[in-house]
């Protein structure tokens, strides 16, 4: 496995001030030297732009008896083998008995049925009031009619759910299949993202493992709701932007002149104003891929828009930092001239085009809700009648949906305020039954409880609260761009909900930023283990402490596993797991 560290060998490019001429320290350092300030050694500009991946150690494999050659090969393969093993573990958890409970649970009353309707008509039809019971009856019945129904979420996520229904039928396994698949793949993405972000295979795999054993992510991966689909596309976009960042910085590094004059083409690079200010960064397919992913997230639920805005801005700021490190005298002006417009096109414009394309079924058919609004007397008035009827009808639909979302204040038993989310103040019960002894697998004389509770693994979330404080410290005081990127992901998924505290909202919306909580926790655990250069004693003590924390989190997941899967457990065991009154 890779060396465990949360500190790369190079500091953040964004943390560096505009460079002075080669060989001359910045003015503020020259002033501080009067008071005995020792100047820090400056790394080669190329190493600051593209920090090298720490050379992994083969000591772990040597412990198991592998020779030097085999240890080197295993270490090299671990960059993919480790994440794939974690992904297999997550997949087994998520697909095991996926069809249980064989019920329509919580908001599955909406999205699987809408998905099946999209397969049949291209738009959402109307289901009979007793359709839920009929779907899981013996034999199952599909009580669907082509009369349009009013839906308040875009169709992309429902089209993805429909893929599982098309492949496996209109049953609990079929409508949960795609969500379980995306939940499993998101673990792989987090492993690879953590590896690239933290420059450690071990910490990347740790972040993925934490996501695999988070209760909220686990429950949402086994339930056909839209929020986990949003999360998948958000994480994919974040990973694409990380790859884009590394590749564009490598392009800048390659264009920099060498500081020495040895004549052999080697030597450290030096900042160059012409490169930093004027170099065009060219074709950036990974940023385009990120824009596509952000469009798919927005086309699933509208909260993807917040990630679109946050990640697009973050990407441009990364360009500013890269140009500054390369020697740009006016990095913001240079980025504004050369990077902002292409970034806007690759993210915002492409995302909006993707969102529009997701409505193609509604556009191509005539039966969807509000599909012919533009042909009504109300739709024929106004200043935009020159636009196509379908486009004006779609715009009217979006305004009606926005009014619905902002005005939704109907009380719900499991609604919660976002202030309580990080401490898991009010989880959501998706399913509950209390079978008697001898029924549905219940063997306890006192009777049993079966519940599917959307509850994050408590110890993981409570530890993540401290990890967020650490991340903010690293970002604000150490100017660590990685901490800022993780904080950006949490903020984009969490802070917007504070604008709608009067709205009916739920804890499970937080699944969108759970991967970033896991990355933050992995980053803090890397600091607990110790930075490079620490003494053996320091590293040993840190590793033991970190290992105890991870094992406690895994145990906590196992303890609550029956509440995540609807397993029948004695009533007394269920009560023992209700740690707070608000969980009932």
């Amino acid at each position: 496995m890779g060396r465990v560290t949360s500190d790369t060998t190079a500091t953040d490019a964004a943390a560096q001030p505009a460079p002075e001429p080669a060989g001359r320290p910045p003015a503020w350092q020259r002033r501080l030297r009067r008071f005995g300030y020792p100047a820090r050694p400056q790394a080669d500009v190329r190493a600051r732009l593209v920090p090298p991946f720490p050379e992994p150690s083969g000591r772990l494999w040597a412990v198991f008896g592998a020779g030097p050659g085999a240890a080197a090969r295993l270490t090299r393969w671990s960059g993919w083998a480790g994440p794939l093993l974690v992904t297999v573990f997550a997949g087994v958890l998520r697909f095991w008995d996926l069809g249980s409970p064989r019920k329509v649970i919580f908001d599955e009353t909406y999205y699987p049925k809408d998905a099946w309707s999209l397969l049949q008509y291209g738009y959402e039809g109307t289901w009979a009031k007793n359709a839920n019971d009929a779907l899981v009856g013996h034999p199952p019945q599909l009580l669907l009619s082509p009369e349009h129904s009013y839906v308040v979420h875009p169709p992309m996520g429902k089209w993805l759910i429909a893929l599982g229904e098309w492949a496996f039928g209109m049953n609990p396994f079929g409508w949960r299949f795609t969500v379980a698949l995306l939940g499993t793949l998101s673990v792989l993405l987090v492993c690879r993202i953590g590896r690239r972000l933290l420059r450690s295979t071990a910490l990347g795999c740790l972040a993925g493992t934490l996501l695999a054993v988070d209760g909220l992510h686990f429950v949402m991966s086994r339930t056909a709701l839209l929020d986990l689909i949003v999360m998948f596309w958000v994480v994919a976009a974040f990973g694409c932007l990380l790859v884009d960042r590394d590749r564009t910085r490598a392009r800048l590094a390659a264009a920099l002149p060498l500081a020495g004059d040895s004549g052999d083409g080697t030597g450290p690079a030096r900042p160059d104003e012409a490169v930093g200010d004027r170099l065009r960064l060219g074709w950036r397919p990974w940023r385009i891929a990120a824009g596509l992913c952000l469009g798919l997230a927005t086309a699933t639920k509208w909260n993807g828009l917040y990630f679109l805005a946050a990640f697009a801005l973050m990407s441009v700021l990364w360009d500013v930092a890269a140009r500054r490190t390369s020697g740009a005298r006016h990095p913001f002006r240079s980025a504004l001239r050369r990077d902002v417009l292409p970034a806007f096109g690759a993210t915002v414009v492409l995302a909006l085009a993707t969102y529009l394309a997701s409505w193609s079924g509604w556009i191509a058919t005539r039966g969807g809700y509000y599909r012919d609004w533009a042909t009504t007397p109300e739709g024929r008035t106004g200043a935009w009648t020159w636009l196509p009827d379908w486009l004006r009808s779609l715009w009217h639909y979006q305004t009606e949906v926005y009014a619905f979302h902002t005005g939704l204040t109907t009380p719900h038993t499991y609604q919660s305020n976002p202030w309580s989310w990080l401490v898991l103040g009010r989880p959501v019960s998706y399913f509950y039954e209390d079978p008697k002894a001898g029924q549905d697998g219940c063997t306890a004389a006192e009777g049993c409880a079966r519940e599917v509770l959307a509850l994050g693994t408590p110890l993981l979330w409570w530890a993540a609260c401290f990890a967020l404080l650490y991340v903010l410290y690293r970002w604000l005081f150490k100017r660590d761009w990685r901490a800022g990127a993780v904080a950006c992901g949490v903020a984009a998924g969490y802070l917007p909900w504070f604008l709608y505290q009067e709205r009916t909202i739920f804890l499970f919306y937080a699944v969108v930023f759970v991967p970033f909580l896991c990355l933050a926790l992995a980053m803090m655990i890397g600091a607990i283990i110790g930075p490079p250069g620490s003494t053996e004693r320091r590293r040993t003590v840190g590793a033991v402490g970190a290992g105890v924390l991870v094992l406690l989190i895994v145990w906590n997941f196992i303890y609550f596993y029956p509440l995540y899967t609807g397993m029948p457990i004695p009533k007394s065991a269920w009560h023992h797991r209700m740690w707070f009154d608000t969980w009932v």
Side-chain angles (χ1 to χ4, degrees):
M1 301 292 280
R3 184 169 62 187
V4 179
T5 171
S6 64
D7 295 309
T8 59
T9 57
T11 55
D12 175 19
Q16 305 303 320
E20 298 282 335
R24 182 176 175 82
W28 64 273
Q29 286 189 10
R30 297 198 301 272
R31 289 194 294 270
L32 286 177
R33 284 182 184 179
R34 302 173 189 172
F35 302 97
Y37 169 78
R40 292 187 298 176
Q42 290 293 316
D44 179 7
V45 177
R46 285 177 297 193
R48 288 165 57 198
L49 283 168
V50 189
F53 197 95
E55 188 64 29
S57 171
R59 291 167 55 188
L60 175 65
W61 303 111
V63 170
F64 293 100
R73 287 192 298 273
L74 289 170
T75 300
R76 184 169 62 253
W77 295 341
S78 66
W80 273 105
L84 287 174
L85 285 175
V86 175
T87 304
V88 169
F89 166 70
V92 170
L93 283 176
R94 279 149 180 76
F95 280 96
W96 185 266
D97 202 15
L98 181 61
S100 177
R102 187 174 171 77
K103 303 281 186 178
V104 177
I105 63 174
F106 198 60
D107 277 358
E108 285 187 342
T109 191
Y110 301 116
Y111 311 121
K113 293 188 293 186
D114 287 344
W116 185 261
S117 180
L118 288 174
L119 281 178
Q120 308 307 311
Y121 308 127
Y123 61 90
E124 293 85 349
T126 299
W127 291 79
K129 291 184 178 180
N130 60 334
N132 290 353
D133 293 333
L135 282 174
V136 294
H138 299 284
Q141 294 179 283
L142 305 177
L143 307 181
L144 172 65
S145 70
E147 179 67 24
H148 58 232
S149 62
Y150 180 57
V151 295
V152 294
H153 291 299
M156 188 64 239
K158 290 170 280 189
W159 278 113
L160 291 174
I161 292 172
L163 291 178
E165 296 173 344
W166 172 78
F168 301 102
M170 185 57 174
N171 55 69
F173 181 87
W175 66 62
R176 294 170 188 159
F177 174 82
T178 301
V179 182
L181 178 63
L182 296 181
T184 301
L185 292 177
S186 67
V187 172
L188 175 62
L189 290 177
V190 168
C191 287
R192 293 292 298 178
I193 286 170
R195 183 180 186 272
R196 181 176 290 269
L197 191 69
L198 304 177
R199 289 297 194 267
S200 166
T201 299
L203 289 181
C205 290
L206 173 61
T209 301
L210 292 173
L211 187 63
V213 298
D214 174 62
L216 182 60
H217 186 275
F218 176 72
V219 170
M220 296 298 288
S221 297
R222 294 170 54 89
T223 312
L225 272 63
L226 301 179
D227 300 84
L228 186 126
I229 299 175
V230 177
M231 180 277 305
F232 174 81
W233 293 120
V234 164
V235 172
F238 185 77
C240 290
L241 289 177
L242 282 180
V243 177
D244 173 73
R245 180 185 188 274
D246 285 351
R247 293 198 171 193
T248 53
R249 292 169 76 90
R251 190 173 297 140
L252 284 165
L256 291 174
L258 302 181
D261 191 20
S262 59
D264 59 359
T266 63
R270 62 176 176 83
D272 184 80
E273 181 179 344
V275 172
D277 272 327
R278 292 191 284 275
L279 182 70
R280 294 187 180 276
L281 298 179
W283 173 250
R284 300 175 67 169
W286 285 99
R287 188 153 71 178
I288 293 173
L292 177 63
C293 291
L294 291 168
L296 292 170
T298 305
T300 301
K301 286 187 78 172
W302 280 3
N303 56 329
L305 283 170
Y306 296 112
F307 287 96
L308 172 61
F311 285 1
L313 177 61
M314 181 177 69
S315 178
V316 171
L317 291 178
W318 284 350
D319 289 346
V320 171
R323 290 188 178 278
R324 178 189 291 118
T325 302
S326 300
R329 188 169 295 275
H330 304 289
F332 280 96
R333 186 187 304 171
S334 300
L336 183 63
R337 288 177 176 174
R338 304 191 182 279
D339 303 324
V340 169
L341 190 59
F344 184 82
T347 54
V348 177
V349 175
L350 179 57
L352 293 179
T354 303
Y355 179 85
L356 187 62
S358 73
W359 287 89
S360 57
W362 182 91
I363 295 169
T365 58
R366 305 295 302 183
Y369 204 87
Y370 280 132
R371 177 60 182 85
D372 295 321
W373 173 85
T375 63
T376 65
E378 181 185 1
R380 292 193 183 99
T381 60
W384 302 97
T385 54
W386 53 275
L387 291 173
D389 288 348
W390 66 264
L391 184 58
R392 290 188 294 119
S393 296
L394 182 60
W395 176 254
H396 178 73
Y397 197 171
Q398 307 308 296
T399 60
E400 292 295 311
V401 169
Y402 177 77
F404 170 85
H405 283 305
T406 55
L408 181 60
T409 57
T410 304
H412 193 283
T413 303
Y414 292 105
Q415 71 183 72
S416 59
N417 190 282
W419 286 106
S420 70
W421 287 1
L422 291 179
V423 294
L424 303 174
R426 183 59 170 163
V428 183
S429 180
Y430 287 176
F431 167 80
Y432 181 85
E433 286 184 348
D434 51 353
K436 306 300 181 183
Q439 300 176 353
D440 294 334
C442 178
T443 59
E446 62 182 298
C448 295
R450 295 184 63 202
E451 183 169 27
V452 175
L453 187 66
L455 170 72
T457 303
L459 292 185
L460 190 157
W461 280 64
W462 297 339
C465 292
F466 294 97
L468 285 178
L469 295 177
Y470 172 72
V471 162
L472 291 175
Y473 159 75
R474 291 285 309 180
W475 179 41
L476 295 174
F477 296 100
K478 297 294 185 177
R479 304 176 74 181
D480 188 334
W481 72 270
R482 302 165 303 161
V486 173
C488 178
V490 175
Y494 184 36
L495 296 184
W497 293 110
F498 287 92
L499 301 173
Y500 306 102
Q501 295 187 62
E502 300 301 322
R503 187 187 184 276
T504 307
I505 53 180
F506 302 91
L507 170 65
F508 68 81
Y509 295 170
V511 73
V512 179
F513 62 83
V514 166
F516 300 98
L517 294 183
C518 294
L519 288 169
L521 188 52
M523 193 173 186
M524 185 182 75
I525 289 174
I528 291 173
I529 294 173
S534 299
T535 64
E536 193 70 22
R537 178 181 176 83
R538 165 70 179 84
R539 301 278 284 187
T540 301
V541 173
V544 170
V548 169
L549 175 59
V550 173
L551 288 176
L552 286 174
I553 290 172
V554 174
W555 164 84
N556 204 210
F557 172 78
I558 295 172
Y559 179 72
F560 284 99
Y561 182 83
L563 298 187
Y564 298 144
T565 57
M567 292 174 57
I569 56 175
K571 277 285 186 68
S572 57
W574 178 84
H575 281 292
H576 290 159
R577 287 165 172 77
M578 295 294 106
W579 286 359
F580 301 100
D581 292 341
T582 57
W583 288 9
V584 179

